[in-house]
Amino acid sequence: IGPPPLDPAALASLRRRGSAGPLPGLVLVGSHVPLADAQLQRLLADPACGGVELSVPELALALQAGQPLAALEAACQEQLEQHLRAGRTPVLYTSRGEQPCASPEARLALGLAIAELMARVAAALAERLGYLISKGGITSHTLLADGLGVASVQLQGQLLPGLSLVLAGPDALPLLTFPGNLGEPGTLHEAWRRMEDGGSA
């Protein structure tokens, strides 16, 4: 495999633009390993970002009771919209910590339900976004396969070591895939900053 065709600066410049300039980004953080916690904390400390927490205990209770997740999904959607209207990059993340589950099967079902809800929320905003950053393997896979409904992507290169930027779907939405336990505490913030700065050039 030869070198990627685009360097990091060129990758960041793939951020989509509208008639008024660069379109906003969206960050999803499904991973809850300690490193992801530290990276999320660093990102949310930036006033240009606005956090929206998806409560895993609340979602788990709804699943156990057989209740629909529409209200929880709508609440997340509205909070993300508020940050977009305010000119901030919305960051949708799961509540931190491990949710107790009765069995491995229940844990898997919960994890999939979380990823699917996040994917639906992101997909609803996709056409208005300049880029997406997705942290966590299940989160990224579900976003691509179920949320955006793409069967294949175009790999463009690595924005930072281990962080692959792909173009997804016919509208070529730039999506940065970010493994859960990768990088340093500041890596997520640096990746977001590069996408913001590169797309504004």
Side-chain angles (χ1 to χ4, degrees):
I1 298 176
L6 300 177
D7 62 19
L11 290 172
S13 72
L14 293 174
R15 177 183 178 182
R16 297 193 304 188
R17 305 176 70 89
S19 58
L23 294 174
L26 171 64
V27 181
L28 304 180
V29 181
S31 174
H32 56 79
V33 297
L35 177 57
D37 294 350
Q39 291 171 341
L40 174 63
Q41 184 178 23
R42 174 67 184 87
L43 182 64
L44 294 179
D46 195 306
C49 294
V52 176
E53 183 181 83
L54 171 59
S55 173
V56 174
E58 186 177 347
L59 190 150
L61 285 174
L63 285 178
Q64 290 169 9
Q67 297 173 348
L69 303 178
L72 186 59
E73 187 173 329
C76 288
Q77 192 81 43
E78 175 53 31
Q79 292 177 69
L80 293 173
E81 294 277 6
Q82 289 175 8
H83 286 306
L84 286 171
R85 289 193 292 268
R88 293 185 289 268
T89 300
V91 181
L92 178 61
Y93 63 96
T94 54
S95 54
R96 303 290 89 186
E98 190 77 23
Q99 176 68 25
C101 293
S103 67
E105 293 77 16
R107 184 179 303 282
L108 178 60
L110 176 60
L112 289 174
I114 293 168
E116 288 168 355
L117 189 151
M118 296 180 81
R120 289 193 300 270
V121 169
L125 296 172
E127 67 178 18
R128 297 155 49 195
L129 296 176
Y131 67 90
L132 257 165
I133 298 174
S134 179
K135 183 164 180 62
I138 294 176
T139 302
S140 299
H141 173 78
T142 306
L143 172 62
L144 287 165
D146 299 334
L148 300 178
V150 297
S152 63
V153 295
Q154 301 173 37
L155 177 62
Q156 301 299 303
Q158 292 191 8
L159 185 71
L160 292 167
L163 308 188
S164 296
L165 191 142
V166 302
L167 297 181
D171 296 325
L173 174 64
L175 190 150
L176 186 69
T177 61
F178 198 132
N181 202 10
L182 185 118
E184 302 295 332
T187 303
L188 178 58
H189 183 265
E190 182 181 353
W192 165 78
R193 187 73 267 168
R194 287 194 181 204
M195 293 302 298
E196 283 290 306
D197 291 346
S200 299

